[in-house]
Amino acid sequence: MSVSTLADEIRRPVEERAPITLLRILRNEYFLYAVSLVLFLYIWDWVAKAHILGKSLATPHQVVTELARLMTVKLAGKNLVGHIWDSTRRVLVGFTIASVIAVPLGLLMALNRYVNAIVKPVFDIFKPMPPIAWISIAILWFGIQEGSKVFIIVIGTFVPCLLNSYNGARLIDPELYDVVRVLGGHRRHEIVQVCFPAAFPAIFAGLQVSLSVGWTCVLAAELVSSQSGLGWIIIQGMRLTKPELVIGGMAIIALVAWTTSLLVTGLEKLICPWKRQIEGL
Amino acid sequence: MAYEAVRVKTPLILKILPVASILLFFGAWEFTVDTGIVPSTMLAAPSSVLKLFIAKLTQPNPDGAVLSTHAWTSIKEAGIGYLLSLLIGLPLGLLMGWFTTIRGLFRPIFEMIRPIPPVAWIPLCIFWFGIGLWGKVFIIWIGAIVPCVINAWVGVSMTNPTLIQMARTYGATDRQIFTKLCIPSALPMVFGALQIALAYAWTNLVAAELLAADSGLGFLITMGRRLGLPEMVVLGMVTVGFIGAVIGVVIDVVEKRLLAGIRR
């Protein structure tokens, strides 16, 4: 046995308290994480310094200094925090509008077949269109101000919100409804006590997907036309040929998007603790 | 399944409503534009989109290529990026599920790249690859590889431990466990990844073409906006949506064929 595999991990409970050897340290997952990160940064640094990709890659050090500089120096009247807030605000406004409309609509579609018959065909026409394809028409309609960006985010986040609440409520085990009926519950009880709780995990999964789509949309919209926001920082870095600005912007986006998705996960645990946890995801 | 025996008759109204709804939608759209409630500089009527569609089949003006050329450029870019992401992402994901070392080495990097929307890579791509084919392929690749890796990895690591122990009892080598047990049991997840990755590829393609392209459907949309031709914008959107829907259906059919016995 030279390499460690999934089969070993399943075997592991039996061989607890094995002595700490060099080999075990080398196989430790957290040790490997550290190695991986160090290697990644080192190779990145080396590639940037050796100009393998031309001069258009900044070293990690340059990126960090650039970000630190942006915290104090104002770019288009705002420092870094201001730009982060601009993008986040757009995402939150669009996301809120979309989820407030889409989630109830999805539930309604699942519960009432007449609503479903009216809304579903029109929705199916719009579903396969990538939200980013709407950018041009949004600019024609709302100009290049806030309106067009929020519109794209609403369009983009609407689809996963609606699909998940629709499917979440539609795919509930029919036996659960039977239980309520056997116990003498009304239609109202079926909806409040079975449909909502059972659809919640799916709805939250939809919100999670929506948020990441929302970030993609806000970036795309800001890349195409804007005067502030993280997408604007990136495009500004491109215009000024400053790769450190581009990469810094990307890093911040990753960080912010990751934080918001963590918040939604936390909220989910708070609101619906009955969700079955899938380990290892 | 006692439910299947009961056949509920669909009322006539439920068959009419979907058709009526679509007709009403297009009717209202046509009406608002024709009567000038929405100015024709902002939205094109379905009839003028149709007219432009027929014209664009043969005429390269005013954006330099006929519709099929644009569509082919887009499909080619999306296809190459998609295939590359499958070729690299699926084996990587499967190996990440199996080998502890590979998982340890790749997971942090992967977790760093994952939250970055692929769209954010566009400026770097333009730096590195210019606005040609490979820049777009890179963006599509980086967007589509994420679901491939995650699903393949989760698929392998969700293999039923009992089955692994059983296989070992019967004397299977680790290699056999991986190829005969883990990979087949990961297949449904992998196919899920194929679908998701394709949807991502198609979305990101449009984004890439909006920013930097000289042909392709995203370019058609951008040109429509620049020339102030809303019917061209709508035509581009409809074509993108249509091709996306067709590809989705094709994958669905292939999946049903290949996984006939495995699914649930």
Side-chain angles (χ1 to χ4, degrees):
Chain A
M1 262 298 303
S2 55
V3 282
S4 110
T5 61
L6 185 74
D8 298 319
E9 286 165 38
I10 286 159
R11 194 183 284 150
R12 193 176 287 158
V14 191
E15 48 176 79
E16 261 177 310
R17 295 195 182 258
I20 297 171
T21 59
L22 188 64
L23 201 64
R24 271 178 65 83
I25 293 176
L26 283 177
R27 277 188 197 155
N28 183 293
E29 208 158 328
Y30 294 100
F31 175 75
L32 287 171
Y33 288 171
V35 170
S36 161
L37 281 178
V38 171
L39 267 182
F40 175 75
L41 288 177
Y42 186 78
I43 293 175
W44 174 8
D45 195 59
W46 177 75
V47 170
K49 280 194 180 134
H51 296 311
I52 288 178
L53 290 162
K55 299 215 180 214
S56 49
L57 183 66
T59 61
H61 178 71
Q62 281 173 319
V63 173
V64 174
T65 11
E66 180 69 19
L67 285 179
R69 194 181 68 85
L70 280 184
M71 288 304 288
T72 49
V73 179
K74 285 190 173 171
L75 210 62
K78 287 183 181 105
N79 66 2
L80 188 58
V81 179
H83 285 292
I84 294 177
W85 171 238
D86 268 6
S87 292
T88 316
R89 195 188 56 221
R90 288 170 190 149
V91 172
L92 287 182
V93 171
F95 174 71
T96 314
I97 297 176
S99 52
V100 163
I101 303 173
V103 172
L105 188 63
L107 289 175
L108 206 63
M109 278 165 69
L111 292 171
N112 187 316
R113 42 190 188 152
Y114 294 100
V115 177
N116 190 24
I118 295 170
V119 180
K120 190 92 194 309
V122 178
F123 177 68
D124 279 342
I125 297 178
F126 286 103
K127 196 175 62 177
M129 258 179 228
I132 293 167
W134 285 84
I135 290 181
S136 289
I137 214 132
I139 292 173
L140 283 178
W141 287 354
F142 299 98
I144 59 164
Q145 299 304 314
E146 293 294 296
S148 61
K149 279 156 208 118
V150 172
F151 176 75
I152 290 168
I153 297 163
V154 170
I155 293 273
T157 50
F158 196 86
V159 174
C161 272
L162 191 136
L163 268 186
N164 275 44
S165 70
Y166 173 64
N167 284 333
R170 203 170 49 106
L171 301 177
I172 296 171
D173 195 348
E175 281 159 25
L176 291 175
Y177 287 122
D178 290 351
V179 172
V180 176
R181 259 173 245 158
V182 167
L183 294 174
H186 289 286
R187 180 81 175 135
R188 181 166 50 87
H189 293 125
E190 280 176 35
I191 292 170
V192 175
Q193 293 180 1
V194 173
C195 182
F196 288 166
F200 242 102
I203 292 174
F204 259 98
L207 293 184
Q208 200 56 281
V209 176
S210 290
L211 255 188
S212 83
V213 176
W215 276 107
T216 307
C217 290
V218 80
L219 265 188
E222 285 173 355
L223 287 177
V224 172
S225 71
S226 68
Q227 282 95 40
S228 67
L230 291 168
W232 180 81
I233 288 188
I234 293 182
I235 209 85
Q236 199 64 13
M238 187 178 100
R239 287 197 193 118
L240 304 171
T241 3
K242 281 171 88 175
E244 62 268 30
L245 200 59
V246 177
I247 299 173
M250 287 166 65
I252 296 289
I253 287 160
L255 207 66
V256 178
W258 181 73
T259 317
T260 43
S261 92
L262 217 62
L263 282 179
V264 173
T265 315
L267 200 67
E268 179 180 8
K269 283 207 180 111
L270 208 71
I271 296 181
C272 52
W274 59 84
K275 186 194 167 194
R276 197 154 48 99
Q277 290 294 317
I278 301 170
E279 291 293 325
L281 264 174
Chain B
M1 280 279 142
Y3 296 102
E4 280 166 2
V6 185
R7 197 168 281 169
V8 184
K9 212 178 155 197
T10 331
L12 186 64
I13 182 114
L14 278 182
K15 287 179 189 153
I16 297 172
L17 272 179
V19 183
S21 152
I22 286 191
L23 286 180
L24 193 72
F25 171 73
F26 280 104
W29 177 7
E30 180 79 46
F31 178 77
T32 45
V33 180
D34 283 354
T35 53
I37 297 172
V38 177
S40 59
T41 48
M42 287 172 81
L43 184 64
S47 56
S48 55
V49 174
L50 200 66
K51 228 179 279 166
L52 184 74
F53 169 69
I54 294 164
K56 282 301 293 176
L57 286 177
T58 52
Q59 238 178 52
N61 292 324
D63 47 282
V66 293
L67 191 62
S68 53
T69 317
H70 284 307
W72 174 240
T73 313
S74 294
I75 293 176
K76 194 173 61 187
E77 287 161 355
I80 296 176
Y82 180 62
L83 286 181
L84 281 179
S85 71
L86 296 191
L87 279 181
I88 299 171
L90 292 181
L92 181 65
L94 292 174
L95 293 176
M96 272 171 80
W98 186 243
F99 292 109
T100 319
T101 318
I102 295 185
R103 176 163 67 238
L105 286 180
F106 281 94
R107 193 173 171 187
I109 297 172
F110 187 69
E111 294 288 344
M112 267 194 297
I113 291 178
R114 185 156 83 132
I116 303 176
V119 178
W121 287 90
I122 294 175
L124 277 187
C125 280
I126 296 173
F127 280 155
W128 294 345
F129 303 100
I131 65 162
L133 172 73
W134 294 104
K136 271 156 253 163
V137 168
F138 179 77
I139 291 166
I140 292 160
W141 177 76
I142 211 150
I145 201 169
V146 170
C148 288
V149 171
I150 292 187
N151 279 32
W153 161 24
V154 172
V156 169
S157 58
M158 281 197 336
T159 312
N160 191 344
T162 320
L163 292 182
I164 294 185
Q165 272 156 356
M166 185 204 71
R168 202 177 293 122
T169 312
Y170 282 109
T173 59
D174 275 3
R175 194 192 152 87
Q176 280 172 324
I177 295 178
F178 181 53
T179 51
K180 298 255 166 73
L181 195 64
C182 290
I183 292 182
S185 83
L187 269 188
M189 288 291 278
V190 168
F191 265 92
L194 295 192
Q195 291 246 29
I196 302 170
L198 194 68
Y200 277 23
W202 202 235
T203 305
N204 292 328
L205 172 86
V206 177
E209 286 184 347
L210 280 179
L211 275 151
D214 40 24
S215 77
L217 293 169
F219 174 74
L220 184 74
I221 296 175
T222 315
M223 276 315 273
R225 189 189 79 215
R226 293 216 183 110
L227 299 171
L229 290 172
E231 58 266 39
M232 208 146 112
V233 176
V234 177
L235 178 67
M237 287 166 65
V238 171
T239 320
V240 167
F242 180 72
I243 297 178
V246 168
I247 299 174
V249 170
V250 170
I251 289 256
D252 220 33
V253 171
V254 173
E255 182 185 4
K256 284 216 177 91
R257 278 276 167 82
L258 289 179
L259 292 183
I262 296 181
R263 260 260 149 106
R264 269 161 230 175

